[in-house]
Amino acid sequence: MADVLRRHVYSGVSIEAAEASVVVKGYLPVDGDLARRRRALRRQLAPLALPSPLRSRWLSEEDWAHAWKEFFPVLRVSPRLVVCPTWRSYRPRRGEAVIRLDPGMAFGTGQHPTTLMCLRALEELLRPGMDILDLGTGSGILALAAARLGATSVLALDIDPQAAAAARENVRLNGLEAVVQVEEGSLDEPLRAAFDLAMANISAAVIVEMAPALAEVLRPGGVLIVAGFSAESAERVSSALARTGLVVERALADGDWRAHIARRL
Ligand code: SAH
C-alpha cells in the first residue's frame, strides 16, 4: 500500500501502526494533475482489496509539512534506548542513551517493527569498542544507536542519496561525526573482515543478494542482524545466510515481521 501511494505523492509516506490497524498517509499536491493521480491511485489500490476505503482531506501547505510530526512521539525502544524527535524535548534518566532524530523523508523513525527488532537485538549484542556496519541506514537510526551504545566506529551506507543526506544530518545533530561515517552507496568495495557486527534492515531480496558480501565483511566471531522480511521469506533468507557459512543462531518475530541473528564462525 505504501509502495503504491509513494508513486503518486509529493514526498515520502508515513506508516502509523496502532494495535489493530495500520494507517498509511501521503500528501498529494493540489495541481492540474490531482484528478488523474487520484484515479490512478484508486485503480492501483483496488487489487489490494483494502479493508477500509481510501480517504482524503484538504490540508494547507503549512499543515502538510508538519502533519506527520504529530505521530512521532518520544519513543522508548528498549530499556536503555530512547528515540527523541528533534521537535520534542526529553530529559534522559540516568543510564539512558538518547538518539535525537529528524527522519525527514528517509525511512527509520523507530516506530516500524523491523527497526524496533533491530534496535533491541543491537542493544543486546553490541559491546563497547566494536566496529559496526549499518547497510541501508535510512535516517541513520541504527547507526546512531550503535554509536550511543558504545561502538568505536560505524559505517552507515545507503544507496538513496536522500537517506544518506538525512543520516548525515542526524549524525551531526547527535554530535557523533567522530564515530559514524555515512556514505552513499552499498557494499561495493571489498571490505574484508572489517566489522564485529553488521546490520541490514532492508528486504528479503536485497539480503539474499548481499548475503555473501555481508558474510565477507564480518570478522570471525562477528554477528549479523538482518530484518525487513516477513515470515513467508524467512526460510529463503536463512538458507541464503547458511550458504555463505554463517550460522543462523536465532529468529526474532514481531507480528508477521521476522529478523535473523547469524554469526560467522
Ligand atoms: N536502517 C533503517 C532504515 C531501513 S529502510 C531502519 O532500520 O529503520 C532500508 C534502507 O535501505 C532504505 O533507506 C534504502 O534506500 C536502503 N537500501 C535498499 N537497498 C540497498 C542496498 N542494496 N544497499 C544499501 N542500501 C540499500
Side-chain angles (χ1 to χ4, degrees):
M1 188 170 154
D3 285 341
V4 171
L5 193 55
R6 205 174 275 129
R7 289 182 213 147
H8 301 282
V9 298
Y10 235 144
S11 37
V13 299
S14 74
I15 303 173
E16 294 147 23
E19 284 290 300
S21 67
V22 178
V23 179
V24 179
K25 285 185 186 169
Y27 300 92
L28 291 164
V30 179
D31 57 18
D33 255 357
L34 182 62
R36 190 193 53 78
R37 279 185 217 256
R38 283 169 81 153
R39 277 196 305 275
L41 196 52
R42 280 181 209 287
R43 193 172 59 241
Q44 290 162 12
L45 286 174
L48 302 182
L50 299 173
S52 56
L54 181 67
R55 271 184 303 187
S56 60
R57 69 189 167 95
W58 300 87
L59 291 175
S60 72
E61 187 91 11
E62 192 181 326
D63 292 342
W64 161 69
H66 296 284
W68 62 277
K69 293 190 173 177
E70 263 176 71
F71 302 100
F72 189 3
V74 175
L75 202 67
R76 177 181 303 279
V77 298
S78 70
R80 271 193 69 200
L81 277 173
V82 175
V83 179
C84 179
T86 48
W87 55 92
R88 298 192 192 273
S89 61
Y90 181 75
R91 181 127 42 90
R93 298 192 213 141
R94 192 198 291 259
E96 268 178 0
V98 178
I99 305 163
R100 301 193 60 81
L101 202 71
D102 185 342
M105 294 310 159
F107 185 100
T109 61
Q111 299 195 13
H112 199 272
T114 60
T115 312
L116 276 173
M117 283 195 286
C118 289
L119 286 167
R120 289 175 183 147
L122 181 66
E123 168 158 5
E124 185 192 318
L125 296 164
L126 189 132
R127 301 284 169 269
M130 282 183 165
D131 296 313
I132 310 275
L133 171 72
D134 177 16
L135 184 66
T137 196
S139 65
I141 186 167
L142 302 180
L144 291 167
R148 276 272 180 272
L149 291 169
T152 292
S153 81
V154 186
L155 176 61
L157 302 175
D158 204 296
I159 49 171
D160 172 4
Q162 277 198 47
R168 216 168 266 138
E169 177 58 16
N170 284 317
V171 170
R172 199 188 56 77
L173 275 169
N174 286 274
L176 288 168
E177 296 97 323
V179 182
V180 185
Q181 182 192 346
V182 180
E183 298 291 344
E184 188 187 325
S186 191
L187 275 181
D188 321 309
E189 284 156 44
L191 297 163
R192 280 189 64 86
F195 301 98
D196 305 296
L197 189 153
M199 327 174 252
N201 178 18
I202 308 181
S203 67
V206 175
I207 295 164
V208 167
E209 182 197 327
M210 304 294 285
L214 284 165
E216 178 113 321
V217 299
L218 285 175
R219 294 188 176 127
V223 184
L224 176 66
I225 304 169
V226 289
F229 50 92
S230 62
E232 197 190 350
S233 314
E235 177 70 43
R236 189 154 66 90
V237 172
S238 60
S239 13
L241 298 178
R243 272 198 302 279
T244 70
L246 292 172
V247 178
V248 181
E249 292 188 335
R250 248 157 72 200
L252 311 174
D254 185 337
D256 194 40
W257 294 103
R258 297 291 179 273
H260 289 325
I261 298 174
R263 193 176 292 274
R264 178 168 172 186
L265 295 180

